[in-house]
Amino acid sequence: MSPDDPREAASRPHPVTGVLFPSPVPPGEGWPDDSADPATPVAVSADDAARLAARASLDEVTARSSVCRACPRLVAWREDVAVTKRKSFAGQPYWGRPTPGWGDREPRVLVIGLAPAANGGNRTGRIFTGDRSGDWLFASLHRVGAASQPTSEHAADGLHLSGVRIVATVRCAPPDNKPTPAERDACSHWLDREVSLVLPSVRSVVALGSFAWTAALTTLGRAGLRVPRPRPKFGHGAEVTLGPRDADDEAGSVSTGNERAVTLIGSYHPSQQNTFTGKLTEQMLDDVLGRALKGRDVGTGT
């Protein structure tokens, strides 16, 4: 950022690196783990998102989804939060952009959530990072051996995941944590492409909450796995095995070369509403994530 840039007056230091950033953070400014740059193509409609996600590499999906502007309501909300900020974070810059998938590039376990929190992922630029839900999730991942540390506070904090990747069904923070069906569908292009790219290594998918459970069934079905009918119902600990489609199965799925079955496991979302009331305990979350990580490869005996 140039010393004469008028944005500098409103810039704040990154909590880890100390580098100054405006809020929201433009691509290519040097934010930790930001793979986008000023030349990254920007989707301004659902059709754009579909076009830019199709045939994109994992790096391209990460970069392109992080600058998406396809949903005007979500763009306005995430950027307004980034400017007004929560009082306790007033001295920090806010990412204020869509939060892409993050973690192992060849995961055995894929964790799917709802959307980034307005003052969590929308602030830090990393999914499930900087809020109480993330505190629970990463502490559990650390206890079951998949995270290098029990906390996820900000990008560049040294955290690494082993064998796990985390994605959100909707990549922008929605008002009241309630995306509309149209916003969900627009963002599904990024989710579908990312899932199709990592699916060959995935053995288990953990859906955090009923919204993510429904999205997981939909996107895994579109990726070429057979979803039972009637569709399995969500519940904490619910488990269903999704096998590859046969040649005579209904059309409309996209082949990924994945010939193994995938186990989908449901978990209550680690929201404060669930953790404060005891609906979800640490042991319950550990049991689900541990089961996903230790599960055998279905159909291979390994």
Side-chain angles (χ1 to χ4, degrees), residues 21-274:
F21 294 99
S23 302
V25 178
E29 294 279 332
W31 188 274
D33 297 333
D34 185 5
S35 59
D37 59 40
T40 301
V42 179
V44 295
S45 68
D47 287 344
D48 280 351
R51 175 177 56 83
L52 292 174
R55 295 181 295 281
S57 68
L58 187 58
D59 287 339
E60 288 171 335
V61 169
T62 300
R64 293 174 182 181
S65 67
S66 78
V67 296
C68 184
R69 302 182 68 84
C71 302
R73 187 182 78 115
L74 297 187
V75 172
W77 173 254
R78 78 190 192 211
E79 294 185 352
D80 181 65
V81 171
V83 172
T84 58
K85 304 181 181 180
R86 177 176 285 174
K87 185 176 181 180
S88 55
F89 302 125
Q92 298 182 15
Y94 269 54
W95 170 253
R97 287 164 42 195
T99 306
W102 181 79
D104 201 315
R105 295 176 64 88
E106 296 183 352
R108 290 178 60 85
V109 176
L110 184 67
V111 177
I112 300 181
L114 169 55
N119 295 284
N122 188 56
R123 172 175 59 89
T124 64
R126 192 165 72 195
I127 189 66
F128 275 109
T129 296
D131 59 47
R132 298 248 177 124
S133 294
D135 292 344
W136 269 69
L137 177 60
F138 286 103
S140 181
L141 287 170
H142 182 258
R143 288 192 296 268
V144 299
S148 62
Q149 60 191 45
T151 58
S152 181
E153 298 178 354
H154 223 293
D157 63 2
L159 175 65
H160 298 282
L161 297 181
S162 177
V164 174
R165 189 172 186 85
I166 304 174
V167 296
T169 303
V170 175
R171 303 194 171 200
C172 290
D176 300 320
N177 289 323
K178 294 180 179 179
T180 67
E183 291 162 351
R184 175 204 62 201
D185 293 346
C187 213
S188 68
H189 301 296
W190 305 120
L191 179 65
D192 284 355
R193 183 56 180 166
E194 185 161 359
V195 168
S196 72
L197 288 167
V198 302
L199 191 58
S201 67
V202 170
R203 300 297 170 257
S204 299
V205 176
V206 175
L208 300 176
S210 60
F211 192 98
W213 175 268
T214 299
L217 288 171
T218 300
T219 197
L220 291 170
R222 287 198 289 243
L225 296 177
R226 187 189 303 111
V227 178
R229 293 184 176 178
R231 283 195 167 199
K233 294 182 179 180
F234 170 76
H236 184 83
E239 181 175 321
V240 60
T241 298
L242 308 178
R245 290 182 185 271
D246 295 327
D248 58 352
D249 279 334
E250 65 183 79
S253 63
V254 178
S255 174
T256 63
N258 186 63
E259 298 180 353
R260 301 173 187 258
V262 171
T263 300
L264 173 63
I265 308 174
S267 171
Y268 292 139
H269 192 283
S271 64
Q272 292 185 55
Q273 180 179 357
N274 289 335

